[in-house]
Amino acid sequence: MTDGSSGRDPTRRMDAAIKGSRRRSFETGLLYLNAKYDENRNQQRFSPASGRFHYTFRGQPENYCRRASRSQSLQKSLVYDATTYLNDHPGGPQSITLVAGEDATEDFMAIHSSDAKRKLAGYHIGTLVGEIKESKASDDSSSSAFLQPNKWKTVTLQTMIDVSKDSKVFRFILDHKERDLGLPIGQHVYVRLRRKTNGKTDVGELVQRAYTPVSKKNDRGFIDMLVKIYYPTKQFPLGGRMTLGFAELTVDDTIELKGPIGHFVWLGNGMASLHGNLRRIRQIGLICGGSGITPILQVLRGIFTDTTNNDTDVWVVDINRDVGDILCRDELDKLVKAHSSRLSLRYSLTSKSIPKDWDQSVGRLDAKMMNKYLPALSADGLICICGPPAMERMAKDHLVGMGWDGTSQIVIF
């Protein structure tokens, strides 16, 4: 199976001969395996130079293990097989398969909690002998796409613009002014940055998250990132690790990007790809909360800038605390004005202070709101959701209860 967005094989088949005659074939999110079990030595050998590596089954891995990674204390690469965890991974299988067969130390450490690091020990299968070879350099000419699925690329901050009391648009410059970012509609980029400590970035914490930019599909030479900054509060005294990293940036600072990533692509002409399966979509509902508007906006643009598609109807429900928190509102209102026969837009505010002239909904997303302002269940229907995890879970549970298929008809960005 090939991932259409990147051209890589996201499942990487491996065949292992166990105890000579018993064979098993399975899909892995990590390293290629093709080895024979030596019962006497109780280990398998696999040398990276020849496409083989070594791992041992003796004892338990160290407490601070990393996926296909290098242990700080022992300076040796530990190998993990995440095959059985791919479909359960909160970030989706692709965020694992993007680093299949490579050193994933920094990627893993930048994004996972201490609980995830403890769970990782259960997937340890051995120790790598030798070094993992670097992937062959790809085409970096200005005519090629900027993003690469297995290589971090550096971009430089040019401007920062406040768009609300706690949200900013950051514009980062690519390496060529005519460079295409290379991001399909509906997909995301991984962003990696190092937090500043006393104004310095060489000693700070490395953090990483997936984001959907707000720059347009045909923009060249830059990427615009809309980021809501989660400042420290009494309830969350540390604030948002990643978003505070954005807030610490100054002009000419750099971050790194990698991608594309995601299981959904809006292809145009009413067609979408979900988990690699093509579907014609005639009714699509889009639910977002706060900065979750970013992937929703990209899908809206993809639908309404497409002159070949005139029969996809769209419903949007946008939940925010206050009026001033509604991000990208000008563009949303212009879209609904220009396409009122095909686009329905409903806002809802959750604050206790609602303006007297507010004529939209009030309150958090609930079943009544979804039943009223989203499309009815149909074979050609699709629902996309992006917002706080609790809202996403509630929305999906209600939709599934109404008969929507959770795998083929519901997208959680």
Side-chain angles (χ1 to χ4, degrees), residues 179-193:
R179 174 85 79 175
D180 176 22
L181 181 64
L183 185 67
I185 295 170
Q187 299 229 304
H188 328 291
V189 296
Y190 264 133
V191 180
R192 185 170 76 174
L193 60 81

Side-chain angles (χ1 to χ4, degrees), residues 23-299:
R23 295 185 61 83
R24 57 177 176 160
S25 176
F26 54 98
E27 295 177 341
T28 180
L30 294 179
L31 293 165
Y32 288 111
L33 302 181
N34 188 4
K36 292 184 177 180
Y37 187 82
D38 185 330
E39 196 169 18
N40 294 326
R41 288 184 296 176
N42 194 28
Q43 64 185 20
Q44 296 191 15
R45 293 192 175 276
F46 214 100
S47 169
S50 60
R52 301 180 301 172
F53 75 77
H54 161 97
Y55 59 88
T56 177
F57 291 96
R58 290 196 188 100
Q60 295 297 320
E62 293 72 19
N63 291 332
Y64 217 67
C65 315
R66 292 124 183 241
R67 182 174 68 237
S69 66
R70 185 169 297 282
S71 164
Q72 285 182 328
S73 59
L74 299 181
Q75 286 299 300
K76 61 182 181 180
S77 295
L78 305 175
V79 183
Y80 302 85
D81 175 15
T83 305
T84 59
Y85 190 64
L86 288 178
N87 292 330
D88 296 325
H89 187 244
Q94 193 183 15
S95 58
I96 293 178
T97 60
L98 275 175
V99 293
E102 299 170 3
D103 186 344
T105 305
E106 290 185 336
D107 284 8
F108 182 84
M109 298 302 292
I111 200 170
H112 289 91
S113 66
S114 56
D115 181 58
K117 294 166 189 172
R118 286 192 294 270
K119 289 180 179 178
L120 180 63
Y123 298 89
H124 178 263
I125 58 173
T127 304
L128 185 72
V129 173
E131 297 294 332
I132 301 174
K133 286 190 173 182
E134 293 279 338
S135 301
K136 184 179 179 181
S138 57
D139 181 13
D140 274 335
S141 65
S142 60
S143 62
S144 63
F146 178 79
L147 288 175
Q148 295 183 28
N150 57 351
K151 179 182 178 182
W152 289 103
K153 303 289 290 293
T154 300
V155 293
T156 303
L157 180 62
Q158 184 184 54
T159 60
M160 296 174 290
I161 300 175
D162 292 324
V163 293
S164 76
K165 65 180 184 295
D166 55 9
S167 299
K168 303 174 185 288
V169 172
F170 297 81
R171 173 164 293 186
F172 296 92
I173 301 302
L174 310 184
D175 54 355
H176 294 287
K177 64 179 181 180
E178 297 300 324
R179 174 85 79 175
D180 176 22
L181 181 64
L183 185 67
I185 295 170
Q187 299 229 304
H188 328 291
V189 296
Y190 264 133
V191 180
R192 185 170 76 174
L193 60 81
R194 192 172 291 279
R195 295 287 305 275
K196 291 185 177 180
T197 301
N198 298 324
K200 298 180 180 180
T201 58
D202 56 344
V203 293
E205 176 191 25
L206 190 68
V207 287
Q208 174 183 327
R209 295 290 185 274
Y211 282 86
T212 305
V214 292
S215 39
K216 296 180 179 179
K217 176 67 176 174
N218 294 327
D219 287 337
R220 295 291 183 269
F222 66 88
I223 177 174
D224 287 341
M225 309 289 297
L226 171 58
V227 180
K228 181 175 182 179
I229 312 298
Y230 290 90
Y231 295 102
T233 64
K234 289 184 179 180
Q235 186 177 4
F236 301 102
L238 297 180
R241 295 164 57 208
M242 185 76 184
T243 65
L244 287 176
F246 270 101
E248 293 163 357
L249 295 174
T250 58
V251 171
D252 292 332
D253 281 345
T254 62
I255 63 171
E256 294 176 294
L257 307 179
K258 182 168 70 172
I261 186 171
H263 54 278
F264 172 79
V265 180
W266 184 261
L267 299 171
N269 195 22
M271 298 297 295
S273 171
L274 180 57
H275 304 297
N277 299 313
L278 293 181
R279 289 198 53 209
R280 176 164 293 281
I281 307 300
R282 289 189 168 86
Q283 299 87 31
I284 183 169
L286 306 172
I287 305 172
C288 59
S291 58
I293 184 60
T294 56
I296 301 302
L297 182 61
Q298 294 292 9
V299 175

